[in-house]
Amino acid sequence: MTVQDVGLLPLLAGLCPMHAVLDAQGHLVQAGPTFAKLFGAHPLRGVRFLDLIELRRPHQAADMAGLLACAGARLRLRLRAAPQTALKGVLLAMPGGGAVVNLSFGISVVEAVRDFGLTGADFAATDLTTEMLYLIEAKSAAMEASRKLNLRLQGARIAAEEQAFSDVLTGLRNRRALDHVLDRLMQSEQDFALLHLDLDFFKQVNDTLGHAAGDHVLQEVARRLQAEVRADDLIARVGGDEFVILLLGMTEAAPVAA
């Protein structure tokens, strides 16, 4: 009984979906469903196997005799057409000069699944590739979940740091932020100037108009100060009605006073 017998061809398709049955001249008699899927709608029956697949190891082959010389050996092959997917395989000679080649993707299976739209149904039920794909998918899902968690944690940390260094009422930097910046500037020996400001009669505003009015005054002062300084300068609210302006790169009294 040969592989061309009617009863064996369907069995091969189910057990080895990446198989190829070759006649004595090296032309395709039958292609497994997954093997055929690599070539889209192109009809494969009668096509020369070596026109589709390049044998790379254990040696190159130009004809069926060269293929049969590799019978039983571990084959390294690849598709001739892009994306030139790498394949593994084994060839068994059949009576009458034909052969059966059983192929697999090996480590290139992830790329093959992506490039050819393969699913679990394209692999034999006993093929461990399916389990490997599940593990890869689970790993990818875990890594994506970890990435999202890290982004949320990073966002929470940035928000916490921002809150720790900001004055809630005015949105300016607070005393803690000012101390941090001053320490950094002194360590790097950068030039800077400081202006210390407070508001006259602020207590009277709170006493006569209420704290809501006082808060509005502080917010308006903060807005006006921000409009007057450079982008690299820093304004901090360091007390109830006290502000400090840090002017980077300025040491001359006249420009600072202006």
Side-chain angles (χ1 to χ4, degrees), residues 88-201:
K88 297 168 60 178
V90 62
L91 180 146
L92 297 177
M94 298 300 296
V100 176
V101 185
N102 192 30
L103 301 166
S104 69
F105 295 108
I107 61 174
S108 65
V109 64
V110 176
E111 291 78 9
V113 168
R114 178 197 63 209
D115 294 338
F116 302 107
L118 303 180
T119 68
D122 293 309
F123 298 91
T126 56
D127 194 337
L128 293 180
T129 298
T130 304
E131 278 71 18
M132 186 180 75
L133 291 173
Y134 288 150
L135 290 175
I136 292 173
E137 184 177 352
K139 179 182 177 181
S140 299
M143 291 180 65
E144 178 64 15
S146 177
R147 185 187 70 82
K148 290 181 178 179
L149 177 59
N150 287 333
L151 288 176
R152 289 198 298 270
L153 291 175
Q154 183 180 9
R157 178 181 59 80
I158 293 173
E161 290 178 352
E162 182 70 17
Q163 185 175 9
F165 287 104
S166 298
D167 176 59
V168 177
L169 178 63
T170 62
L172 301 176
R173 303 288 90 177
N174 57 19
R175 182 183 292 275
R176 182 179 180 184
L178 178 64
D179 291 342
H180 179 75
V181 173
L182 286 174
D183 182 63
R184 189 179 70 229
L185 290 175
M186 286 186 289
Q187 289 185 18
S188 62
E189 299 183 353
Q190 294 186 53
D191 294 334
F192 63 90
L194 290 176
L195 290 175
H196 184 270
L197 311 173
D198 61 21
L199 304 182
D200 293 337
F201 311 114

Side-chain angles (χ1 to χ4, degrees), residues 3-4 20-24 64 67-68 91-95 97-101:
V3 74
Q4 284 84 3
V21 179
L22 313 183
D23 63 17
M64 188 59 175
L67 285 175
L68 290 173
L91 180 146
L92 297 177
M94 298 300 296
V100 176
V101 185

Side-chain angles (χ1 to χ4, degrees), residues 181-241:
V181 173
L182 286 174
D183 182 63
R184 189 179 70 229
L185 290 175
M186 286 186 289
Q187 289 185 18
S188 62
E189 299 183 353
Q190 294 186 53
D191 294 334
F192 63 90
L194 290 176
L195 290 175
H196 184 270
L197 311 173
D198 61 21
L199 304 182
D200 293 337
F201 311 114
F202 180 70
K203 185 176 183 302
Q204 294 180 19
V205 174
N206 277 334
D207 291 343
T208 59
L209 300 177
H211 289 284
D215 289 348
H216 178 74
V217 169
L218 292 173
Q219 292 169 341
E220 182 63 22
V221 168
R223 186 187 65 79
R224 296 192 182 192
L225 289 176
Q226 286 179 310
E228 295 298 327
V229 300
R230 300 167 301 176
D232 294 336
D233 296 330
L234 180 144
I235 310 171
R237 182 187 175 209
V238 297
D241 65 340

Side-chain angles (χ1 to χ4, degrees), residues 49-63 65-71 73-80 87 89-91 101 103:
F49 179 76
L50 287 174
D51 288 341
L52 302 174
I53 304 292
E54 177 187 3
L55 176 63
R56 299 174 61 81
R57 294 179 184 177
H59 57 74
Q60 294 184 344
D63 52 27
L67 285 175
L68 290 173
C70 301
R74 294 183 178 182
L75 307 182
R76 296 292 184 269
L77 315 98
R78 72 178 180 186
L79 299 182
R80 290 190 181 277
L87 300 168
V90 62
L91 180 146
V101 185
L103 301 166

